[in-house]
C-alpha cells in the first residue's frame, strides 16, 4: 500500500508538473505575444518620428534682419522634404567658408541673439513639408577691418547630424563670431 501511495503521489506530481508546463508555456506565449506587440508599437513610433537627416531637409534663408551698431542677421529655415515625419532638437551647427569652400575660422554662440530671445530647446516633430527656424546674428564693421572674415558660404549642420547644407552667404563677419537660437516652429524677431 505504501508503494501505491508513492505511485499515486508520483503520478499526481507528474500530472501537476505537466499541467504547470502547459500553463507556463501558455503564459510565456501570452507574454511573448504582448512583448512583440509592445516592441512593434515602439518600432512604429520610432519609424514615424526619426531624427531629421540632412538629406531629408532643405536649408534656406527667410527674413533678412538689419539693425544699428553694425548688427545683421537672418532667419534660417530647415524644411522637412523627407516624405515622412522626423524630429529636430537643439541648435544648428554653423561654419563659414570662403569662395573656394575652404573653412574660415569662426565660433558660434548658442542662445539669444541681437534679434531674438533664444527659445528653450525642444523636440520639434516636423511632418513632411513643415519647417523649423532659428535666428542667426553677427556684427560687421567696414570691409577689410582687422579680424573680419569675408565669407561666401554658410555651412549648416542640423542637430544630431554629421552631414551639412551649404548656403550662399556673402557677408563680412567680425572675428567669425556668429550667434544662433535653438530651432523652433516660429521665432519672433525684433529689428
Amino acid at each position: 500500500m505504501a508503494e501505491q501511495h508513492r505511485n499515486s503521489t508520483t503520478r499526481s506530481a507528474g500530472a501537476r508538473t505537466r499541467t504547470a508546463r502547459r500553463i507556463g508555456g501558455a503564459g510565456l506565449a501570452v507574454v511573448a505575444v504582448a512583448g512583440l506587440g509592445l516592441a512593434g508599437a515602439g518600432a512604429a513610433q520610432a519609424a514615424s518620428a526619426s531624427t531629421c537627416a540632412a538629406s531629408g531637409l532643405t536649408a534656406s534663408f527667410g527674413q533678412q534682419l538689419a539693425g544699428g551698431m553694425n548688427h545683421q542677421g537672418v532667419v534660417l529655415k530647415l524644411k522637412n522634404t523627407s516624405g515622412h515625419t522626423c524630429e529636430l532638437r537643439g541648435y544648428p551647427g554653423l561654419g563659414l567658408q570662403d569662395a573656394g569652400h575652404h573653412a574660415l575660422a569662426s565660433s558660434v554662440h548658442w542662445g539669444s541673439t541681437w534679434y531674438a530671445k533664444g527659445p528653450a530647446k525642444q523636440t520639434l516633430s516636423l511632418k513632411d513639408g513643415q519647417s523649423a527656424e532659428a535666428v542667426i546674428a553677427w556684427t560687421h564693421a567696414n570691409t577689410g577691418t582687422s579680424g573680419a572674415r569675408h565669407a561666401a558660404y554658410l555651412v549648416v549642420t542640423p542637430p544630431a547630424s554629421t552631414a551639412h547644407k551649404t548656403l550662399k552667404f556673402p557677408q563680412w563677419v567680425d572675428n567669425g563670431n556668429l550667434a544662433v537660437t535653438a530651432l523652433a516652429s516660429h521665432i519672433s524677431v525684433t529689428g
Side-chain angles (χ1 to χ4, degrees), residues 37-61:
L38 291 174
Q45 287 176 348
S48 67
S50 62
T51 300
C52 296
S55 61
L57 295 169
T58 58
S60 63
F61 292 129

mmCIF file with all atom_site columns, all heavy atoms in Angstrom, residues 37-61:
data_model
loop_
_atom_site.group_PDB
_atom_site.id
_atom_site.type_symbol
_atom_site.label_atom_id
_atom_site.label_alt_id
_atom_site.label_comp_id
_atom_site.label_asym_id
_atom_site.label_entity_id
_atom_site.label_seq_id
_atom_site.pdbx_PDB_ins_code
_atom_site.Cartn_x
_atom_site.Cartn_y
_atom_site.Cartn_z
_atom_site.occupancy
_atom_site.B_iso_or_equiv
_atom_site.pdbx_formal_charge
_atom_site.auth_seq_id
_atom_site.auth_comp_id
_atom_site.auth_asym_id
_atom_site.auth_atom_id
_atom_site.pdbx_PDB_model_num
ATOM 1   N N   . GLY A 1 37 ? 3.981  42.855 -29.334 1.00 0.00 ? 37 GLY A N   1
ATOM 2   C CA  . GLY A 1 37 ? 3.083  43.985 -29.574 1.00 0.00 ? 37 GLY A CA  1
ATOM 3   C C   . GLY A 1 37 ? 3.702  45.281 -29.089 1.00 0.00 ? 37 GLY A C   1
ATOM 4   O O   . GLY A 1 37 ? 3.669  46.299 -29.767 1.00 0.00 ? 37 GLY A O   1
ATOM 5   N N   . LEU A 1 38 ? 4.306  45.249 -27.899 1.00 0.00 ? 38 LEU A N   1
ATOM 6   C CA  . LEU A 1 38 ? 4.955  46.451 -27.370 1.00 0.00 ? 38 LEU A CA  1
ATOM 7   C C   . LEU A 1 38 ? 6.162  46.825 -28.204 1.00 0.00 ? 38 LEU A C   1
ATOM 8   O O   . LEU A 1 38 ? 6.377  47.998 -28.501 1.00 0.00 ? 38 LEU A O   1
ATOM 9   C CB  . LEU A 1 38 ? 5.385  46.225 -25.915 1.00 0.00 ? 38 LEU A CB  1
ATOM 10  C CG  . LEU A 1 38 ? 4.241  46.109 -24.904 1.00 0.00 ? 38 LEU A CG  1
ATOM 11  C CD1 . LEU A 1 38 ? 4.794  45.749 -23.538 1.00 0.00 ? 38 LEU A CD1 1
ATOM 12  C CD2 . LEU A 1 38 ? 3.436  47.393 -24.835 1.00 0.00 ? 38 LEU A CD2 1
ATOM 13  N N   . ALA A 1 39 ? 6.941  45.837 -28.594 1.00 0.00 ? 39 ALA A N   1
ATOM 14  C CA  . ALA A 1 39 ? 8.105  46.123 -29.435 1.00 0.00 ? 39 ALA A CA  1
ATOM 15  C C   . ALA A 1 39 ? 7.663  46.684 -30.770 1.00 0.00 ? 39 ALA A C   1
ATOM 16  O O   . ALA A 1 39 ? 8.254  47.622 -31.294 1.00 0.00 ? 39 ALA A O   1
ATOM 17  C CB  . ALA A 1 39 ? 8.940  44.852 -29.635 1.00 0.00 ? 39 ALA A CB  1
ATOM 18  N N   . GLY A 1 40 ? 6.598  46.141 -31.330 1.00 0.00 ? 40 GLY A N   1
ATOM 19  C CA  . GLY A 1 40 ? 6.079  46.636 -32.601 1.00 0.00 ? 40 GLY A CA  1
ATOM 20  C C   . GLY A 1 40 ? 5.595  48.072 -32.476 1.00 0.00 ? 40 GLY A C   1
ATOM 21  O O   . GLY A 1 40 ? 5.823  48.903 -33.331 1.00 0.00 ? 40 GLY A O   1
ATOM 22  N N   . ALA A 1 41 ? 4.925  48.385 -31.354 1.00 0.00 ? 41 ALA A N   1
ATOM 23  C CA  . ALA A 1 41 ? 4.449  49.755 -31.137 1.00 0.00 ? 41 ALA A CA  1
ATOM 24  C C   . ALA A 1 41 ? 5.626  50.701 -31.009 1.00 0.00 ? 41 ALA A C   1
ATOM 25  O O   . ALA A 1 41 ? 5.621  51.793 -31.564 1.00 0.00 ? 41 ALA A O   1
ATOM 26  C CB  . ALA A 1 41 ? 3.578  49.809 -29.882 1.00 0.00 ? 41 ALA A CB  1
ATOM 27  N N   . GLY A 1 42 ? 6.665  50.280 -30.278 1.00 0.00 ? 42 GLY A N   1
ATOM 28  C CA  . GLY A 1 42 ? 7.855  51.123 -30.142 1.00 0.00 ? 42 GLY A CA  1
ATOM 29  C C   . GLY A 1 42 ? 8.542  51.327 -31.474 1.00 0.00 ? 42 GLY A C   1
ATOM 30  O O   . GLY A 1 42 ? 8.984  52.426 -31.803 1.00 0.00 ? 42 GLY A O   1
ATOM 31  N N   . ALA A 1 43 ? 8.612  50.277 -32.276 1.00 0.00 ? 43 ALA A N   1
ATOM 32  C CA  . ALA A 1 43 ? 9.241  50.397 -33.596 1.00 0.00 ? 43 ALA A CA  1
ATOM 33  C C   . ALA A 1 43 ? 8.427  51.311 -34.494 1.00 0.00 ? 43 ALA A C   1
ATOM 34  O O   . ALA A 1 43 ? 8.974  52.119 -35.240 1.00 0.00 ? 43 ALA A O   1
ATOM 35  C CB  . ALA A 1 43 ? 9.398  49.020 -34.233 1.00 0.00 ? 43 ALA A CB  1
ATOM 36  N N   . ALA A 1 44 ? 7.108  51.223 -34.393 1.00 0.00 ? 44 ALA A N   1
ATOM 37  C CA  . ALA A 1 44 ? 6.253  52.093 -35.212 1.00 0.00 ? 44 ALA A CA  1
ATOM 38  C C   . ALA A 1 44 ? 6.435  53.542 -34.805 1.00 0.00 ? 44 ALA A C   1
ATOM 39  O O   . ALA A 1 44 ? 6.518  54.432 -35.639 1.00 0.00 ? 44 ALA A O   1
ATOM 40  C CB  . ALA A 1 44 ? 4.792  51.679 -35.070 1.00 0.00 ? 44 ALA A CB  1
ATOM 41  N N   . GLN A 1 45 ? 6.520  53.803 -33.483 1.00 0.00 ? 45 GLN A N   1
ATOM 42  C CA  . GLN A 1 45 ? 6.749  55.169 -33.023 1.00 0.00 ? 45 GLN A CA  1
ATOM 43  C C   . GLN A 1 45 ? 8.113  55.652 -33.481 1.00 0.00 ? 45 GLN A C   1
ATOM 44  O O   . GLN A 1 45 ? 8.252  56.779 -33.925 1.00 0.00 ? 45 GLN A O   1
ATOM 45  C CB  . GLN A 1 45 ? 6.661  55.248 -31.505 1.00 0.00 ? 45 GLN A CB  1
ATOM 46  C CG  . GLN A 1 45 ? 5.247  55.134 -30.983 1.00 0.00 ? 45 GLN A CG  1
ATOM 47  C CD  . GLN A 1 45 ? 5.206  55.115 -29.470 1.00 0.00 ? 45 GLN A CD  1
ATOM 48  O OE1 . GLN A 1 45 ? 6.233  54.962 -28.808 1.00 0.00 ? 45 GLN A OE1 1
ATOM 49  N NE2 . GLN A 1 45 ? 4.016  55.254 -28.918 1.00 0.00 ? 45 GLN A NE2 1
ATOM 50  N N   . ALA A 1 46 ? 9.129  54.819 -33.364 1.00 0.00 ? 46 ALA A N   1
ATOM 51  C CA  . ALA A 1 46 ? 10.475 55.212 -33.778 1.00 0.00 ? 46 ALA A CA  1
ATOM 52  C C   . ALA A 1 46 ? 10.517 55.486 -35.272 1.00 0.00 ? 46 ALA A C   1
ATOM 53  O O   . ALA A 1 46 ? 11.141 56.431 -35.718 1.00 0.00 ? 46 ALA A O   1
ATOM 54  C CB  . ALA A 1 46 ? 11.480 54.122 -33.407 1.00 0.00 ? 46 ALA A CB  1
ATOM 55  N N   . ALA A 1 47 ? 9.830  54.658 -36.055 1.00 0.00 ? 47 ALA A N   1
ATOM 56  C CA  . ALA A 1 47 ? 9.837  54.847 -37.505 1.00 0.00 ? 47 ALA A CA  1
ATOM 57  C C   . ALA A 1 47 ? 9.106  56.123 -37.889 1.00 0.00 ? 47 ALA A C   1
ATOM 58  O O   . ALA A 1 47 ? 9.483  56.796 -38.835 1.00 0.00 ? 47 ALA A O   1
ATOM 59  C CB  . ALA A 1 47 ? 9.193  53.639 -38.193 1.00 0.00 ? 47 ALA A CB  1
ATOM 60  N N   . SER A 1 48 ? 8.049  56.483 -37.156 1.00 0.00 ? 48 SER A N   1
ATOM 61  C CA  . SER A 1 48 ? 7.289  57.669 -37.515 1.00 0.00 ? 48 SER A CA  1
ATOM 62  C C   . SER A 1 48 ? 7.945  58.942 -37.007 1.00 0.00 ? 48 SER A C   1
ATOM 63  O O   . SER A 1 48 ? 7.577  60.017 -37.421 1.00 0.00 ? 48 SER A O   1
ATOM 64  C CB  . SER A 1 48 ? 5.859  57.554 -36.990 1.00 0.00 ? 48 SER A CB  1
ATOM 65  O OG  . SER A 1 48 ? 5.871  57.583 -35.578 1.00 0.00 ? 48 SER A OG  1
ATOM 66  N N   . ALA A 1 49 ? 8.883  58.860 -36.109 1.00 0.00 ? 49 ALA A N   1
ATOM 67  C CA  . ALA A 1 49 ? 9.489  60.056 -35.535 1.00 0.00 ? 49 ALA A CA  1
ATOM 68  C C   . ALA A 1 49 ? 11.005 59.921 -35.444 1.00 0.00 ? 49 ALA A C   1
ATOM 69  O O   . ALA A 1 49 ? 11.582 60.083 -34.396 1.00 0.00 ? 49 ALA A O   1
ATOM 70  C CB  . ALA A 1 49 ? 8.885  60.328 -34.169 1.00 0.00 ? 49 ALA A CB  1
ATOM 71  N N   . SER A 1 50 ? 11.647 59.627 -36.551 1.00 0.00 ? 50 SER A N   1
ATOM 72  C CA  . SER A 1 50 ? 13.102 59.510 -36.547 1.00 0.00 ? 50 SER A CA  1
ATOM 73  C C   . SER A 1 50 ? 13.733 60.901 -36.587 1.00 0.00 ? 50 SER A C   1
ATOM 74  O O   . SER A 1 50 ? 13.086 61.891 -36.906 1.00 0.00 ? 50 SER A O   1
ATOM 75  C CB  . SER A 1 50 ? 13.555 58.684 -37.756 1.00 0.00 ? 50 SER A CB  1
ATOM 76  O OG  . SER A 1 50 ? 13.177 59.343 -38.952 1.00 0.00 ? 50 SER A OG  1
ATOM 77  N N   . THR A 1 51 ? 14.994 60.970 -36.265 1.00 0.00 ? 51 THR A N   1
ATOM 78  C CA  . THR A 1 51 ? 15.725 62.234 -36.330 1.00 0.00 ? 51 THR A CA  1
ATOM 79  C C   . THR A 1 51 ? 15.826 62.681 -37.783 1.00 0.00 ? 51 THR A C   1
ATOM 80  O O   . THR A 1 51 ? 16.076 61.874 -38.675 1.00 0.00 ? 51 THR A O   1
ATOM 81  C CB  . THR A 1 51 ? 17.142 62.049 -35.737 1.00 0.00 ? 51 THR A CB  1
ATOM 82  O OG1 . THR A 1 51 ? 17.003 61.631 -34.378 1.00 0.00 ? 51 THR A OG1 1
ATOM 83  C CG2 . THR A 1 51 ? 17.926 63.331 -35.793 1.00 0.00 ? 51 THR A CG2 1
ATOM 84  N N   . CYS A 1 52 ? 15.623 63.966 -38.016 1.00 0.00 ? 52 CYS A N   1
ATOM 85  C CA  . CYS A 1 52 ? 15.704 64.502 -39.376 1.00 0.00 ? 52 CYS A CA  1
ATOM 86  C C   . CYS A 1 52 ? 17.148 64.426 -39.878 1.00 0.00 ? 52 CYS A C   1
ATOM 87  O O   . CYS A 1 52 ? 18.057 64.970 -39.252 1.00 0.00 ? 52 CYS A O   1
ATOM 88  C CB  . CYS A 1 52 ? 15.250 65.958 -39.410 1.00 0.00 ? 52 CYS A CB  1
ATOM 89  S SG  . CYS A 1 52 ? 13.523 66.233 -38.974 1.00 0.00 ? 52 CYS A SG  1
ATOM 90  N N   . ALA A 1 53 ? 17.346 63.747 -40.967 1.00 0.00 ? 53 ALA A N   1
ATOM 91  C CA  . ALA A 1 53 ? 18.667 63.648 -41.588 1.00 0.00 ? 53 ALA A CA  1
ATOM 92  C C   . ALA A 1 53 ? 18.873 64.845 -42.518 1.00 0.00 ? 53 ALA A C   1
ATOM 93  O O   . ALA A 1 53 ? 17.913 65.364 -43.093 1.00 0.00 ? 53 ALA A O   1
ATOM 94  C CB  . ALA A 1 53 ? 18.779 62.349 -42.383 1.00 0.00 ? 53 ALA A CB  1
ATOM 95  N N   . ALA A 1 54 ? 20.102 65.264 -42.675 1.00 0.00 ? 54 ALA A N   1
ATOM 96  C CA  . ALA A 1 54 ? 20.401 66.393 -43.566 1.00 0.00 ? 54 ALA A CA  1
ATOM 97  C C   . ALA A 1 54 ? 19.891 66.127 -44.977 1.00 0.00 ? 54 ALA A C   1
ATOM 98  O O   . ALA A 1 54 ? 19.414 67.040 -45.650 1.00 0.00 ? 54 ALA A O   1
ATOM 99  C CB  . ALA A 1 54 ? 21.901 66.667 -43.579 1.00 0.00 ? 54 ALA A CB  1
ATOM 100 N N   . SER A 1 55 ? 19.951 64.878 -45.422 1.00 0.00 ? 55 SER A N   1
ATOM 101 C CA  . SER A 1 55 ? 19.498 64.550 -46.777 1.00 0.00 ? 55 SER A CA  1
ATOM 102 C C   . SER A 1 55 ? 17.994 64.744 -46.961 1.00 0.00 ? 55 SER A C   1
ATOM 103 O O   . SER A 1 55 ? 17.528 64.896 -48.080 1.00 0.00 ? 55 SER A O   1
ATOM 104 C CB  . SER A 1 55 ? 19.866 63.103 -47.113 1.00 0.00 ? 55 SER A CB  1
ATOM 105 O OG  . SER A 1 55 ? 19.231 62.218 -46.206 1.00 0.00 ? 55 SER A OG  1
ATOM 106 N N   . GLY A 1 56 ? 17.235 64.764 -45.866 1.00 0.00 ? 56 GLY A N   1
ATOM 107 C CA  . GLY A 1 56 ? 15.797 64.953 -45.934 1.00 0.00 ? 56 GLY A CA  1
ATOM 108 C C   . GLY A 1 56 ? 15.349 66.364 -45.580 1.00 0.00 ? 56 GLY A C   1
ATOM 109 O O   . GLY A 1 56 ? 14.177 66.600 -45.314 1.00 0.00 ? 56 GLY A O   1
ATOM 110 N N   . LEU A 1 57 ? 16.302 67.294 -45.560 1.00 0.00 ? 57 LEU A N   1
ATOM 111 C CA  . LEU A 1 57 ? 15.999 68.686 -45.221 1.00 0.00 ? 57 LEU A CA  1
ATOM 112 C C   . LEU A 1 57 ? 16.508 69.622 -46.308 1.00 0.00 ? 57 LEU A C   1
ATOM 113 O O   . LEU A 1 57 ? 17.527 69.334 -46.951 1.00 0.00 ? 57 LEU A O   1
ATOM 114 C CB  . LEU A 1 57 ? 16.680 69.082 -43.904 1.00 0.00 ? 57 LEU A CB  1
ATOM 115 C CG  . LEU A 1 57 ? 16.236 68.380 -42.631 1.00 0.00 ? 57 LEU A CG  1
ATOM 116 C CD1 . LEU A 1 57 ? 17.196 68.704 -41.490 1.00 0.00 ? 57 LEU A CD1 1
ATOM 117 C CD2 . LEU A 1 57 ? 14.816 68.795 -42.255 1.00 0.00 ? 57 LEU A CD2 1
ATOM 118 N N   . THR A 1 58 ? 15.823 70.727 -46.498 1.00 0.00 ? 58 THR A N   1
ATOM 119 C CA  . THR A 1 58 ? 16.370 71.815 -47.305 1.00 0.00 ? 58 THR A CA  1
ATOM 120 C C   . THR A 1 58 ? 16.627 72.976 -46.359 1.00 0.00 ? 58 THR A C   1
ATOM 121 O O   . THR A 1 58 ? 15.901 73.162 -45.372 1.00 0.00 ? 58 THR A O   1
ATOM 122 C CB  . THR A 1 58 ? 15.415 72.276 -48.430 1.00 0.00 ? 58 THR A CB  1
ATOM 123 O OG1 . THR A 1 58 ? 14.185 72.688 -47.849 1.00 0.00 ? 58 THR A OG1 1
ATOM 124 C CG2 . THR A 1 58 ? 15.174 71.170 -49.432 1.00 0.00 ? 58 THR A CG2 1
ATOM 125 N N   . ALA A 1 59 ? 17.663 73.727 -46.628 1.00 0.00 ? 59 ALA A N   1
ATOM 126 C CA  . ALA A 1 59 ? 18.006 74.898 -45.822 1.00 0.00 ? 59 ALA A CA  1
ATOM 127 C C   . ALA A 1 59 ? 17.846 76.137 -46.689 1.00 0.00 ? 59 ALA A C   1
ATOM 128 O O   . ALA A 1 59 ? 18.212 76.130 -47.873 1.00 0.00 ? 59 ALA A O   1
ATOM 129 C CB  . ALA A 1 59 ? 19.439 74.782 -45.315 1.00 0.00 ? 59 ALA A CB  1
ATOM 130 N N   . SER A 1 60 ? 17.285 77.188 -46.103 1.00 0.00 ? 60 SER A N   1
ATOM 131 C CA  . SER A 1 60 ? 17.122 78.446 -46.831 1.00 0.00 ? 60 SER A CA  1
ATOM 132 C C   . SER A 1 60 ? 17.103 79.594 -45.835 1.00 0.00 ? 60 SER A C   1
ATOM 133 O O   . SER A 1 60 ? 16.967 79.384 -44.621 1.00 0.00 ? 60 SER A O   1
ATOM 134 C CB  . SER A 1 60 ? 15.834 78.437 -47.654 1.00 0.00 ? 60 SER A CB  1
ATOM 135 O OG  . SER A 1 60 ? 14.706 78.323 -46.801 1.00 0.00 ? 60 SER A OG  1
ATOM 136 N N   . PHE A 1 61 ? 17.237 80.801 -46.376 1.00 0.00 ? 61 PHE A N   1
ATOM 137 C CA  . PHE A 1 61 ? 17.141 81.990 -45.540 1.00 0.00 ? 61 PHE A CA  1
ATOM 138 C C   . PHE A 1 61 ? 15.759 82.583 -45.680 1.00 0.00 ? 61 PHE A C   1
ATOM 139 O O   . PHE A 1 61 ? 15.199 82.656 -46.775 1.00 0.00 ? 61 PHE A O   1
ATOM 140 C CB  . PHE A 1 61 ? 18.190 83.030 -45.944 1.00 0.00 ? 61 PHE A CB  1
ATOM 141 C CG  . PHE A 1 61 ? 19.603 82.609 -45.641 1.00 0.00 ? 61 PHE A CG  1
ATOM 142 C CD1 . PHE A 1 61 ? 20.569 82.671 -46.620 1.00 0.00 ? 61 PHE A CD1 1
ATOM 143 C CD2 . PHE A 1 61 ? 19.953 82.161 -44.380 1.00 0.00 ? 61 PHE A CD2 1
ATOM 144 C CE1 . PHE A 1 61 ? 21.870 82.291 -46.347 1.00 0.00 ? 61 PHE A CE1 1
ATOM 145 C CE2 . PHE A 1 61 ? 21.256 81.773 -44.096 1.00 0.00 ? 61 PHE A CE2 1
ATOM 146 C CZ  . PHE A 1 61 ? 22.216 81.843 -45.081 1.00 0.00 ? 61 PHE A CZ  1
#
